[in-house]
């Protein structure tokens, strides 16, 4: 066997035994018995792939303990769907890499087909509540970012005081979060859906309040007015980036398109509101 091929097989071997431990652990964490059985079966197949590779390399390989901890933690914190699909994205590269050794290792083609089957099974079995209500979370975050960033930008120029801006922004944010939660409740209740109206309203309201708290925070802890606004805008970009990445992985949609769309809308509203605040301040003669 060529040394380069053997080294590549050892890399695959480490991946397979690592994923075996990840899937086996995930199978013990979820409550749905059907999902648990599917994950355990996939874990067993990963172990089978490892054994096939071991027979050819003649070497035992230890799993990547950090990778196991990483994906288990991600799945616990952000949900099974996100954790598994994030791992599957990494597997896509591995599946392509198997093509490079099929001449020296024909079994690689069968392993690749098994990996593709894993992905299809995982997509069919994963059904988490948090993804069912992700639309409500997006609604809350989108509105909070667009409305509050615009309000903070306008208030910064109009009021010229960090405490006043924080107070006005907080009152506006809390009132808006309650309004959004109520609207989501009525909207979900009036439409045929398997979503619970109370849960939908709760997800929307808490997402809104979470964004409000982060955007207001700089005005409470920093002293310079425009520094506060700048940090608040940076926080808005980070929120958009993190949540867009989560949704793009969990729902398999374009990250770039959604991220640019959210940034353009939020920052565009902030700029317009900033100018309105300046015009109002000049027009009313507020110093």
């Amino acid at each position: 066997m060529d040394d380069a091929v053997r080294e590549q097989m050892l890399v695959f071997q480490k991946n397979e035994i690592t994923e075996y431990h990840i899937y086996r652990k995930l199978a013990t964490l979820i409550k749905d018995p059907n999902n648990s059985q599917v994950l355990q079966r996939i874990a067993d197949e990963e172990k089978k792939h490892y054994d096939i590779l071991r027979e050819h390399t003649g070497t035992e390989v230890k799993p990547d303990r950090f990778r196991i901890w990483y994906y288990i933690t991600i799945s616990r914190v952000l949900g099974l769907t996100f954790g598994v699909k994030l791992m599957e994205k990494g597997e896509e590269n591995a599946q392509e890499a198997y093509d490079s050794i099929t001449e020296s290792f024909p079994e690689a083609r069968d392993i690749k087909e098994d990996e593709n089957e894993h992905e299809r099974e995982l997509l069919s079995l994963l059904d988490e509540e948090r993804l069912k209500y992700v639309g409500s979370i997006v609604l809350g975050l989108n509105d909070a970012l667009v409305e509050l960033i615009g309000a903070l930008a306008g208030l910064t120029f109009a009021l010229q005081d960090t405490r006043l801006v924080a107070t006005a922004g907080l009152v506006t944010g809390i009132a808006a979060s309650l309004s959004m939660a109520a609207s989501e409740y009525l909207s979900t209740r009036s439409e045929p859906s398997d979503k619970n109206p109370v849960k939908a309203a709760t997800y929307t309201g808490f997402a809104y309040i979470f964004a409000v708290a982060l955007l207001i925070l700089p005005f409470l802890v920093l002293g310079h007015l425009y520094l506060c606004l700048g940090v608040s805008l940076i926080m808005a970009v980070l929120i958009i980036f993190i949540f867009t990445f989560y949704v793009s992985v969990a729902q398999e949609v374009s990250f770039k398109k959604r991220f640019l769309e959210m940034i353009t809308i939020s920052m565009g509203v902030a700029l317009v509101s900033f100018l309105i605040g300046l015009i109002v301040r000049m027009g009313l003669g507020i110093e």
Side-chain angles (χ1 to χ4, degrees):
M1 181 185 298
D2 183 86
D3 288 342
V5 173
R6 186 175 185 278
E7 287 299 318
Q8 186 66 65
M9 290 175 68
L10 288 172
V11 172
F12 294 150
Q13 197 174 332
K14 190 177 187 69
N15 288 338
E16 297 293 348
I17 195 62
T18 298
E19 289 169 7
Y20 159 71
H21 285 285
I22 293 172
Y23 284 121
R24 189 182 68 167
K25 181 64 175 177
L26 289 175
T28 66
L29 292 178
I30 60 176
K31 297 178 180 178
D32 187 294
N34 180 64
N35 290 354
S36 180
Q37 289 175 9
V38 173
L39 287 172
Q40 183 58 55
R41 193 173 85 247
I42 293 174
D44 293 339
E45 290 180 0
E46 299 286 6
K47 182 62 165 57
K48 182 182 71 175
H49 298 162
Y50 169 81
D51 291 336
I52 293 172
L53 289 161
R54 184 187 58 188
E55 289 177 6
H56 287 77
T57 62
T59 305
E60 290 282 356
V61 177
K62 293 183 179 180
D64 186 335
R65 295 295 176 185
F66 173 78
R67 192 165 167 233
I68 294 171
W69 171 84
Y70 174 75
Y71 282 112
I72 295 300
T73 302
I74 287 288
S75 298
R76 281 177 166 170
V77 175
L78 299 177
L80 176 66
T81 302
F82 179 81
V84 169
K85 288 190 176 180
L86 186 64
M87 186 169 66
E88 285 296 316
K89 279 185 171 290
E91 273 198 19
E92 290 175 4
N93 296 327
Q95 291 168 23
E96 294 175 2
Y98 273 116
D99 291 333
S100 64
I101 63 170
T102 51
E103 290 186 8
S104 303
F105 179 51
E107 291 93 333
R109 189 175 291 105
D110 295 331
I111 294 176
K112 180 183 176 181
E113 290 177 0
D114 283 346
E115 298 293 349
N116 289 331
E117 182 64 27
H118 292 176
E119 186 173 349
R120 287 192 293 271
E121 287 183 336
L122 286 167
L123 291 176
S124 66
L125 75 89
L126 298 174
D127 181 22
E128 287 189 293
E129 180 180 278
R130 71 185 71 192
L131 287 183
K132 186 186 298 183
Y133 294 98
V134 74
S136 299
I137 298 173
V138 170
L139 178 65
L141 286 177
N142 283 1
D143 275 61
L145 291 170
V146 173
E147 294 176 8
L148 199 61
I149 280 294
L152 290 176
L155 290 170
T156 296
F157 243 106
L159 300 180
Q160 296 286 298
D161 183 277
T162 56
R163 293 290 173 178
L164 286 177
V165 173
T167 302
L170 190 59
V171 171
T172 301
I174 293 174
S177 67
L178 295 174
S179 174
M180 284 302 305
S183 297
E184 179 68 358
Y185 173 83
L186 294 173
S187 174
T188 305
R189 189 176 182 184
S190 63
E191 298 175 357
S193 171
D194 59 346
K195 294 196 298 184
N196 184 300
V198 175
K199 286 185 177 181
T202 302
Y203 276 107
T204 299
F206 272 106
Y208 201 115
I209 290 175
F210 170 76
V212 167
L214 288 181
L215 297 179
I216 292 294
L217 185 62
F219 291 90
L220 297 174
V221 299
L222 301 176
H224 193 282
L225 186 67
Y226 297 110
L227 175 62
C228 293
L229 180 60
V231 173
S232 187
L233 290 173
I234 292 172
M235 284 191 168
V237 173
L238 287 175
I239 293 172
I240 292 171
F241 178 86
I242 293 170
F243 193 75
T244 302
F245 177 70
Y246 177 88
V247 172
S248 68
V249 171
Q251 295 191 335
E252 298 184 342
V253 296
S254 170
F255 168 79
K256 184 178 180 180
K257 181 179 179 181
R258 290 180 71 100
F259 179 72
L260 292 177
E261 183 179 63
M262 279 287 294
I263 285 291
T264 301
I265 294 173
S266 298
M267 297 304 122
V269 170
L271 177 61
V272 171
S273 300
F274 197 81
L275 295 175
I276 291 174
L278 176 61
I279 294 170
V280 169
R281 183 166 176 262
M282 292 174 62
L284 296 179
I286 300 173
E287 296 296 336

